[in-house]
Amino acid sequence: MAQCTQLSRNSQERNKTCSNVRSPVQQRRQGRIRAGRSLPRARSMAAKMQSMNEHVAALLDVTCADDADEENRSLYRTAIDAVKRASDMCHGVQRGLAEEDTKAKQDDSPVTIADYAAQAVIALTLMQNSKGGSENVRLVAEEDANELRDGGRLTEAVANLVRTAMDDGELTNAQVCDAIDVGLYEGGDQGGNFWVLDPIDGTRGFVGRRQYAVCLGYVDAKTGDVLLGVLGCPNLPFRGGDVMRLSDGQEGLDSVLAAEARSEQGVAGSVFFAAKGKGTYVGPLDGSAPFVAIGAKARQSEEDAPPAFMESYDARHSDHSFSGVVASTIFDGKSAPPPLRVDSQCKYGLLAMGGIADIYMRFPPSKYREKIWDHVAGICVVEEAGGVVSDAKGRKLRVNEGRFLPEDLGGGICAGSSQSWHGRLVDAIAVAAAATQK
Ligand SMILES: Nc1ncnc2c1ncn2[C@@H]1O[C@H](COP(=O)(O)O)[C@@H](OP(=O)(O)O)[C@H]1O
Ligand SMILES: [Mg+2]
């Protein structure tokens, strides 16, 4: 386990695959785990499933090397399996999304058949694998089944997606609705540890054919620490865990990436996995290569501006002009990096990967209450890669006080790829806020 954490922190070792790290358990299984083997192009679904299972087994051997980790092994496997199933389903839906597959919620944000179906698929997967029985799954999730209970076209479309993804033609529409409503748990520090799910984070990006993420985390109810985070990012191409190259075009990088992942060649999307004390890893969603340990590599000289800073794609979600002021403040007098605007918690995955952006800022409208599912999985992914996520004043995000984050976030949320970048960011936000009286 120590080996693994070290691997994720050491930039020179970054591109070693999990299969290169030999835990005792792994050595026993070595016959069937081979790193970096090339696979034939046209692979059957069964072959893809098998190699994904092998790569997940290798990841679990590294992150759960001790016998004491048996419970974690099952928890981690379930989380990856759930996110992968939902991500595959979403990827298929995005390609052919029709106008009638999307509805506006009361707050005018969109919800699609894929948001509902992904939540049902993940809830059902958690229930099937729950040691304490399906009725003991505690899940705080974004959607509810209110709009689906009366039946109709939307309900049928959602239920069909779930039946296919779960390979269970017997599931009734009512069972699908019940599975969605498992996500109504209130969270907080009074019960046991709980799951937190955003079935599609960045639904606007999903509808706009850009980035989105399926985000599942597991929270220690007492401490509010995030114990596990998995991000399925179907439109973020997996490039061996290496950083995105800016030659892809700074402007519109997001849509370039999304187009590549949607292309006929079928470039695989990415799945990020992080667990407390075990590091952060990324692998291809189609199982075509092993997971790779990643650690956000802070720039050697922090005097140099990173290639970009990250923020929401949508200006309704975050004040773009204020983050521009903060970016200029950090690089006082020197040219500030340009923004990279990306939908969803893909931003947290990119920050963990390093090399493209060292800071992420989010300044929502003052009346907006941030929800825990928009951050929980990403917090673990960034922190285990050596970064820090906090509110705009540098305070830990309290994710065990209910479905929302506390009202007072000091103006927003910020993240750095290292403690040092995070510290500079928090200082710059304070200076910029004073200068603009924000
Ligand atoms: N006015 C607003 N201010 C801040 N965040 C908002 C918002 N309206 C919606 N959001 C949140 O922003 C999330 C997308 O994040 P990002 O801006 O990083 O892409 C949305 O997630 P969903 O798409 O799951 O609803 C939603 O929860
Ligand atoms: Mg969502």
Side-chain angles (χ1 to χ4, degrees):
M1 183 204 318
Q3 226 177 350
C4 220
T5 311
Q6 192 186 20
L7 182 71
S8 74
R9 301 269 191 272
N10 182 340
S11 63
Q12 289 186 336
E13 301 273 289
R14 281 176 74 247
N15 284 332
K16 279 192 176 179
T17 68
C18 288
S19 305
N20 296 121
V21 187
R22 287 183 202 149
S23 71
V25 190
Q26 195 177 348
Q27 283 173 29
R28 285 203 299 276
R29 297 191 185 191
Q30 239 170 9
R32 62 186 181 87
I33 303 172
R34 277 168 287 153
R37 66 192 162 146
S38 56
L39 295 161
R41 275 217 155 153
R43 299 158 68 241
S44 70
M45 192 59 107
K48 281 185 181 178
M49 278 293 292
Q50 194 189 341
S51 57
M52 185 65 181
N53 290 342
E54 287 179 5
H55 298 318
V56 171
L59 175 70
L60 297 180
D61 285 346
V62 171
T63 51
C64 306
D66 303 337
D67 286 346
D69 277 329
E70 260 331 289
E71 211 166 298
N72 282 340
R73 178 179 280 271
S74 147
L75 200 76
Y76 299 173
R77 185 189 292 283
T78 300
I80 296 170
D81 182 35
V83 168
K84 191 186 145 25
R85 249 190 238 193
S87 300
D88 289 348
M89 183 275 298
C90 292
H91 197 46
V93 174
Q94 193 189 37
R95 285 162 188 259
L97 193 71
E99 214 175 308
E100 61 269 25
D101 295 333
T102 301
K103 284 191 69 158
K105 288 204 236 182
Q106 272 173 355
D107 63 1
D108 203 33
S109 67
V111 60
T112 74
I113 52 171
D115 296 64
Y116 290 124
Q119 182 156 323
V121 164
I122 289 179
L124 288 165
T125 308
L126 297 182
M127 287 192 284
Q128 280 173 358
N129 292 282
S130 166
K131 289 256 160 62
S134 62
E135 63 285 0
N136 288 325
V137 170
R138 286 177 289 273
L139 174 66
V140 177
E142 179 173 11
E143 312 302 343
D144 63 64
N146 286 347
E147 297 288 327
L148 305 176
R149 292 276 177 196
D150 293 344
R153 205 203 76 86
L154 202 68
T155 313
E156 204 54 49
V158 170
N160 280 337
L161 288 172
V162 179
R163 285 190 273 267
T164 306
M166 298 303 294
D167 197 15
D168 182 356
E170 308 279 292
L171 272 172
T172 64
N173 293 6
Q175 285 171 322
V176 169
C177 289
D178 290 346
I180 292 170
D181 279 344
V182 168
L184 292 174
Y185 185 65
E186 283 298 320
D189 61 2
Q190 297 304 305
N193 297 352
F194 55 90
W195 295 98
V196 179
L197 168 68
D198 194 335
I200 293 188
D201 181 35
T203 305
R204 288 186 204 278
F206 180 76
V207 174
R209 307 283 200 273
R210 302 187 306 269
Q211 295 296 334
Y212 64 96
V214 176
C215 312
L216 181 63
Y218 192 63
V219 171
D220 182 322
K222 292 283 165 286
T223 63
D225 290 342
V226 185
L227 303 175
L228 171 64
V230 184
L231 300 176
C233 307
N235 281 349
L236 203 60
F238 175 77
R239 292 176 173 161
D242 211 345
V243 296
M244 306 296 154
R245 287 178 296 275
L246 282 177
S247 57
D248 287 323
Q250 184 84 40
E251 286 292 323
L253 173 67
D254 181 56
S255 46
V256 172
L257 295 175
E260 186 180 327
R262 286 200 313 269
S263 72
E264 288 307 310
Q265 286 83 23
V267 177
S270 303
V271 55
F272 293 88
F273 170 88
K276 195 166 168 57
K278 312 284 176 92
T280 299
Y281 304 82
V282 64
L285 266 170
D286 70 352
S288 55
F291 284 83
V292 178
I294 53 172
K297 49 171 191 198
R299 227 153 297 286
Q300 291 298 317
S301 162
E302 296 201 342
E303 292 306 306
D304 298 334
F309 72 85
M310 278 190 291
E311 62 184 346
S312 289
Y313 181 94
D314 197 307
R316 282 168 290 188
H317 299 180
S318 186
D319 182 343
H320 286 173
S321 73
F322 184 62
S323 38
V325 176
V326 176
S328 315
T329 308
I330 293 186
F331 296 98
D332 191 29
K334 300 187 192 129
S335 64
L340 174 61
R341 295 179 177 143
V342 180
D343 299 281
S344 83
Q345 290 177 61
C346 284
K347 290 188 280 297
Y348 286 128
L350 286 168
L351 198 69
M353 202 132 63
I356 196 164
D358 290 303
I359 49 183
Y360 162 31
M361 292 178 253
R362 183 180 193 89
F363 303 112
S366 58
K367 295 241 156 52
Y368 183 78
R369 275 297 285 282
E370 288 282 345
K371 288 103 175 185
I372 61 171
W373 51 76
D374 282 329
H375 304 282
V376 160
I379 290 171
C380 196
V381 165
V382 169
E383 290 185 347
E384 284 301 313
V388 183
V389 182
S390 74
D391 76 6
K393 290 198 168 150
R395 299 169 296 199
K396 176 180 174 175
L397 292 181
R398 302 205 303 269
V399 299
N400 59 342
E401 295 186 2
R403 292 169 69 87
F404 294 90
L405 286 175
E407 207 169 334
D408 175 16
L409 294 177
I413 291 172
C414 67
S417 62
S418 64
Q419 287 200 359
S420 161
W421 275 110
H422 176 258
R424 292 175 74 187
L425 180 54
V426 170
D427 291 348
I429 292 171
V431 171
T436 57
Q437 293 177 341
K438 196 173 150 74

